[in-house]
């Protein structure tokens, strides 16, 4: 019986078979248990001898069962691990990942540069009123300077626009032709000193070509405070050029006319790799008439004048033109042409 039982245990193929064997030999009605019971009817001497033999057998079977059980469990675990094995050296499945648009990248870079200089970034509405886009910036109707900004006018019922403090705005509406109207909105609602930049989308009714779009982006800057001068403006643009084009870059200012600044300038940068002067945008000292328009508007809202003594500088630059240089894009129309092949090249930039 011992030989038979031990062999059966050793050959049991799974835990279920082992359990059956255990029941057969050691269970309540198992062979060994029956034999133990039968001892009672034997004469003393034989009972002792047989009893010892049966006990030894029981121990041997229990030990064999335990060993086989452990071996089977280990084998089962090994198989389970084998099935679920993960090869960490296999190439991963590529996830679809979007990227930021090159103009967003350029805009963020610009805003980051000015943030580091203590500027706050604010945004204004794309639908603007004639007042904020033109009149308050000293560009009255019929003034020839309006021709600088070919305008998309909006008409229709139900268009409502709010002013800097949430008040209703009267007058003709348009798509803003530059980010400068936000100068006026911000000044109405705040008192100096402050430093802001205004990134945003602007619209012009004009033909497109390699360097002109009808919809493009600008970054406006406005700094107002005591003693702010043209030197501060040059310093700001100098810092911008250094950050964008490195320590060897240079900036150049040339006098020009914008109705909302006096004096007005256009500025350009030069850097070794570029090798030529690049026009970046317009700038100047905020015109007293702009401050006057702001205080007049504040008065209408019941606010005290805040810009009687103010001086400040402002600038505005084209984001696409800068991005063309930064990323070597030969035609401005690529940016919003909607071709993935173009956009995918900017994945991971930043
Ligand atoms: C000037 C003085 C200030 O104190 C403040 C701001 C300004 C800038 C002014 N508001 C303005 O819009 N000037 S601008 O018409 O010369 O445009 C500024 C920049 O926008 C240009 O230098 C150019 O880089 C870009 N730009 C103009 N028209 C564009 C254009 N970019 C792409 N497509 C167009 N059609």
């Amino acid at each position: 019986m011992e030989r038979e039982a031990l062999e059966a245990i050793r050959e049991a193929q799974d835990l279920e078979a082992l359990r059956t064997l255990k029941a057969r030999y050691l269970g309540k009605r198992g062979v060994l248990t029956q034999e133990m019971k039968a001892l009672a009817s034997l004469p003393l001497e034989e009972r002792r001898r047989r009893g010892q033999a049966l006990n030894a057998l029981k121990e041997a079977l229990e030990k064999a069962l335990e060993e086989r059980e452990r071996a089977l469990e280990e084998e089962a675990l090994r198989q389970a691990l084998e099935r679920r094995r993960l090869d960490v050296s296999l190439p991963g499945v590529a996830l679809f990942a979007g990227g930021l648009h090159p103009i967003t990248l350029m805009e963020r870079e610009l805003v980051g540069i000015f943030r580091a200089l203590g500027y706050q970034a604010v945004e204004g509405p794309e639908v603007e009123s004639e007042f904020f886009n033109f009149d308050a910036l000293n560009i009255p109707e019929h003034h020839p300077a309006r021709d600088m900004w070919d305008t998309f006018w909006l008409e229709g019922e139900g268009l409502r626009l709010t002013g800097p403090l949430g008040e209703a705005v009267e007058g003709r509406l348009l798509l803003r032709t530059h980010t400068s109207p936000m100068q006026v909105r911000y000044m109405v609602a705040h008192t100096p000193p402050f430093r802001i930049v205004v990134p945003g989308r602007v619209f012009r009714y004009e033909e497109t070509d390699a360097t002109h779009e009808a919809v493009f982006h600008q970054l406006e800057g406005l700094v107002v405070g005591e003693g702010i001068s043209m030197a501060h403006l040059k310093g700001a643009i100098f810092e911008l050029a250094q950050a964008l084009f490195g320590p060897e870059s240079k900036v150049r200012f040339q006098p020009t006319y914008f109705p909302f600044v006096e004096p007005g300038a256009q500025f350009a940068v030069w850097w070794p790799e570029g090798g030529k002067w690049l026009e970046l945008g317009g700038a100047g000292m905020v015109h007293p008439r702009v401050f006057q328009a702001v205080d007049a508007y504040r008065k209408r809202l019941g606010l005290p004048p805040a810009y009687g003594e103010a001086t400040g500088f402002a600038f505005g630059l084209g984001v696409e033109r800068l991005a063309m240089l930064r990323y070597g894009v030969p035609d401005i129309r690529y940016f919003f042409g909607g071709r993935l092949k173009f956009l995918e090249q900017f994945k991971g930039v930043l």
Side-chain angles (χ1 to χ4, degrees), residues 131 134-140 143 183-184 187 257-262 285-297 307-308 310:
F131 174 77
F134 289 126
D135 301 271
L137 289 167
N138 194 31
I139 319 169
H143 190 288
Q183 287 190 29
V184 181
M187 285 195 279
Y257 174 72
F258 293 103
F260 35 96
V261 284
E262 179 57 39
M285 299 306 294
V286 179
H287 199 291
R289 290 222 188 108
V290 176
F291 288 137
Q292 282 157 21
V294 167
D295 269 344
Y297 196 96
Y307 292 88

Side-chain angles (χ1 to χ4, degrees), residues 127-141 146 151 153 161-164 167-174 178 180-185 188 260 289-301:
V127 170
E128 217 9 309
S129 75
E130 184 173 16
F131 174 77
F132 290 112
N133 195 83
F134 289 126
D135 301 271
L137 289 167
N138 194 31
I139 319 169
E141 202 177 355
R146 278 219 184 179
T151 310
W153 294 96
L161 182 68
T162 51
E167 74 283 4
V169 167
E170 307 278 298
R172 287 199 289 171
L173 298 182
L174 46 79
H178 49 178
S180 301
M182 192 51 192
Q183 287 190 29
V184 181
R185 284 179 173 266
V188 165
F260 35 96
R289 290 222 188 108
V290 176
F291 288 137
Q292 282 157 21
V294 167
D295 269 344
Y297 196 96
R298 284 173 60 90
K299 191 170 181 187
R300 254 184 288 148
L301 294 176

Side-chain angles (χ1 to χ4, degrees), residues 97-273:
L100 292 177
H101 190 278
I103 295 304
T104 307
L105 292 170
M106 192 68 245
E107 193 175 277
R108 287 194 181 183
E109 185 177 1
L110 287 169
V111 168
I113 291 167
F114 283 103
R115 280 230 172 95
L117 294 173
Y119 288 65
Q120 209 189 326
V122 297
E123 287 182 286
E126 292 176 349
V127 170
E128 217 9 309
S129 75
E130 184 173 16
F131 174 77
F132 290 112
N133 195 83
F134 289 126
D135 301 271
L137 289 167
N138 194 31
I139 319 169
E141 202 177 355
H142 308 306
H143 190 288
R146 278 219 184 179
D147 297 345
M148 288 167 82
W149 296 278
D150 299 293
T151 310
F152 287 109
W153 294 96
L154 298 175
E155 36 189 68
E157 301 291 305
L159 283 172
R160 249 191 309 274
L161 182 68
T162 51
L165 292 179
E167 74 283 4
V169 167
E170 307 278 298
R172 287 199 289 171
L173 298 182
L174 46 79
L175 293 176
R176 66 176 173 192
T177 59
H178 49 178
T179 41
S180 301
M182 192 51 192
Q183 287 190 29
V184 181
R185 284 179 173 266
Y186 191 87
M187 285 195 279
V188 165
H190 299 82
T191 54
F194 56 76
R195 280 180 278 217
I196 57 163
V197 280
V198 188
R201 193 157 61 150
V202 303
F203 308 81
R204 289 190 196 174
Y205 183 55
E206 60 180 83
E207 298 254 7
T208 62
D209 61 28
T211 53
H212 292 83
E213 269 282 19
V215 180
F216 60 99
H217 295 73
Q218 289 188 336
L219 183 87
E220 191 85 7
L222 175 66
V223 173
V224 181
E226 215 174 294
I228 293 294
S229 73
M230 200 80 183
H232 296 112
L233 166 62
K234 291 175 86 171
I237 301 302
F238 174 79
E239 290 295 337
L240 173 67
Q242 294 282 300
L244 287 174
F245 300 108
E248 286 179 69
S249 59
K250 301 178 209 170
V251 294
R252 178 182 78 183
F253 283 76
Q254 289 174 306
T256 196
Y257 174 72
F258 293 103
F260 35 96
V261 284
E262 179 57 39
Q266 59 187 26
F267 57 94
V269 292
W270 181 97
W271 74 111
E273 292 90 70

Side-chain angles (χ1 to χ4, degrees), residues 110 216-219 280-281 316-323:
L110 287 169
F216 60 99
H217 295 73
Q218 289 188 336
L219 183 87
L280 269 191
L317 55 87
V319 178
E320 276 80 358
R321 297 267 176 92
L322 202 54

